[in-house]
Amino acid sequence: MKFSLVAGTLKIMESTTKRLELTSHLVDLFKKTPSEIIANVVYLLQGKLRPDHEGVELGVAEKIAIRAISKSAGVPVKKIEHEYHEGGDLGQAASKVLEEKTQTTFLTQTITVERVYDTLYKIAELKGARSQDMKMKYISSLLNDASPSEAGFILKIITGSLRLGIADYTIMDALAIAFTGSKENREALEKAYNVSSDLGKVAAAVAKDGINAIKNFKVSVFSPVRPMLAERVKSAEEAREKMGSEFAAEYKLDGERVQLHILGEKIVLYSRSLENITNYYPDIVEKISKSLNAKQLILEAEAVAVNEDTGEFLAFQELMHRRRKYGIHKAVSQYPITVNFFDVMYVDGKSCLDLAYKERRKLLENIIREDSFAKLMPMTIVKTNNEVEDVLENAINTGCEGLMLKQLDLPYRAGARGSNWLKLKREYRNELGDSLDLVVIGAFFGRGRRTGRYGALLLATYDDQTDTFPSICKVGTGFTDENLDQFYQILSDKITLKKNPRINSGLEADVWFEPELVIEILASEITLSPIHKTAIDVIRKGSGLALRFPKFTGRIRFEKTPENATTDQEIISLYNGQKRVVQDERQNYI
Ligand code: AMP
């Protein structure tokens, strides 16, 4: 098939944004495309060579593309760079300089879709030191035989600027019309796409065997399922209006969504955007099989950074240290995680997508053998607003972002955002700009690398009305090895056999101290807490205030007496003070 058919369609499509017109141009193109190559045409239209999860990258540096144009057009690199900077698009720059050349020469070849695709695929496969030169030669050979406008589109595909041009749903509309005669069938195509994440495969099936081939599309291992998404709600009340009288409240952990595909020994991990992220999690690949009671699985989990010594969840940013090409093994030991499973999509040959949530959860509970690495996402079935709020409070206090609320009787809707799943975060966050000076009242024995020392300290504020020390947080972060030794020594003089009566704590420490030592702490915010006793009953009945993500700054305030520590009143006014609307913390990353 002539590549000019594809390039011609792209050219007319560039001149309109109307969806109906875009669709009808694509319908014309698809009808002229042989079914054997329609998958590749669809990928090229999407500006890629294979579905994203296969990770086939062209990997052509701009510099190389410019050299290829220069070679084919016989003009200096500088001139192409100039055109590129003027217009901002390398494809256009290529068309322009090649246009000038074709006025003086004749084209000898008709370039085909097959040749363009195969050459680009070869380019993607080239690796190693000398590959850039080879890439340049391949591109230049295509440009030699392409018309200026074809060359422009080839360059756009190579440099990734064609991506995002044509929406997936427009391609699906056009496929439905071209091969089933009706746009109504688009829903079936979308379903097939949602379970395979491969629009080329969907196109090939419908082009060859019509709508029935599409209806037979099955979930399969190593074809990622497009994830189900959640709608945001502002309150427990709003959630209940949408969900009815009984639903599941799961913790919403602040990590990375991971779709695990497992077939015997082979494990592949996909991100929320279905990129292959296996390389960032060698620990999951190594350890997870022993926690699973089946051999063929597709599971969903949230990977979360944790403090290994205390078991506390850490902020999402900590996990992002693993996003690196080199030194991943060091990052794995520096930023340990737990894997918190919340859904199952496929077990031993069978799709679970059509099962109700409560049945999938039951299956999941049978599949996962929990240990210190693999966990089930904490879940409570809730009926009243109060119950939702209590679970939310607990979730926030263990370091979660909020809750995911899920309908008990509904299936997994791949690729869809709907009211089957709701996310409930708090509307406001009480941010702490300043550090606090807190009294060490107790400690917990360390595990792992902290064995033989304290893993975490229990801290309190000072309540000057009652002359007591109410607890406010447990802190295990921010300590160097030296700090840990130092604390072990200093605190050994302050151990008491019984808890000092001036201590008011919601947690049972392993060791209690005379409330004497004051240390400096930073935290991300102050939250309501069902556990800690600072400002108990003041903001809400039955709740105190606690610190989220507390961290030792490295300063011991030897100069302060415990009565000089931050008071509960100061915490209350900080809590009531600056409020900031909670924003999505991940937007900068994913
Ligand atoms: P958001 O990114 O705010 O739209 O929230 C959805 C994300 O929350 C998902 O993509 C997951 O990464 C994450 N998440 C955390 N806990 C859960 C859970 N229990 N169920 C589903 N998703 C969860």
Side-chain angles (χ1 to χ4, degrees), residues 397-420:
N397 282 293
T398 26
C400 298
E401 276 187 299
L403 297 179
M404 293 292 283
L405 307 173
K406 300 182 178 178
Q407 295 268 26
L408 294 174
D409 294 317
L410 293 178
Y412 190 97
R413 292 193 46 216
R417 194 182 284 285
S419 43
N420 290 5

Side-chain angles (χ1 to χ4, degrees), residues 513-534:
F513 304 119
E514 286 297 354
E516 287 173 358
L517 189 70
V518 178
I519 64 173
E520 192 179 74
I521 294 292
L522 276 172
S524 65
E525 59 175 321
I526 301 172
T527 62
L528 283 168
S529 160
I531 299 164
H532 289 292
K533 301 292 185 186
T534 290

Side-chain angles (χ1 to χ4, degrees), residues 227-232 249-258 272 300-304 316 340-343 357 361 377-379 400-406 412 417 421-423 425 584-587 590:
M228 179 159 174
L229 305 172
E231 248 175 36
R232 183 187 289 262
E250 288 181 3
Y251 279 12
K252 184 175 193 305
L253 292 177
D254 192 10
E256 175 163 32
R257 187 174 191 157
V258 180
R272 173 187 170 141
E300 269 197 311
E302 190 80 356
V304 187
F316 171 69
N340 302 268
F341 289 92
F342 61 82
D343 222 315
Y357 167 84
R361 174 80 195 191
M377 187 66 85
M379 186 275 283
C400 298
E401 276 187 299
L403 297 179
M404 293 292 283
L405 307 173
K406 300 182 178 178
Y412 190 97
R417 194 182 284 285
W421 282 11
L422 300 176
K423 56 185 170 190
K425 302 187 192 173
D584 205 325
E585 287 161 357
R586 304 150 178 259
Q587 64 202 6
I590 291 181

Side-chain angles (χ1 to χ4, degrees), residues 87-99:
D89 184 307
L90 197 53
Q92 252 168 27
S95 295
K96 191 153 175 217
V97 295
L98 286 163
E99 189 85 55

Side-chain angles (χ1 to χ4, degrees), residues 46-115:
Q46 290 179 301
K48 46 180 130 171
L49 297 176
R50 295 290 303 158
D52 287 341
H53 59 265
E54 290 187 12
V56 178
E57 300 279 348
L58 276 156
V60 176
E62 230 164 47
K63 213 170 66 207
I64 299 294
I66 292 175
R67 269 175 54 204
I69 304 168
S70 157
K71 186 162 184 254
S72 296
V75 293
V77 163
K78 280 257 172 311
K79 179 168 163 58
I80 298 158
E81 282 173 349
H82 174 76
E83 291 292 344
Y84 178 27
H85 291 134
E86 290 276 289
D89 184 307
L90 197 53
Q92 252 168 27
S95 295
K96 191 153 175 217
V97 295
L98 286 163
E99 189 85 55
E100 288 161 12
K101 178 194 170 194
T102 39
Q103 284 165 1
T104 57
T105 52
F106 294 102
L107 286 179
T108 49
Q109 289 245 9
T110 304
I111 196 161
T112 61
V113 172
E114 289 87 337
R115 178 169 162 207

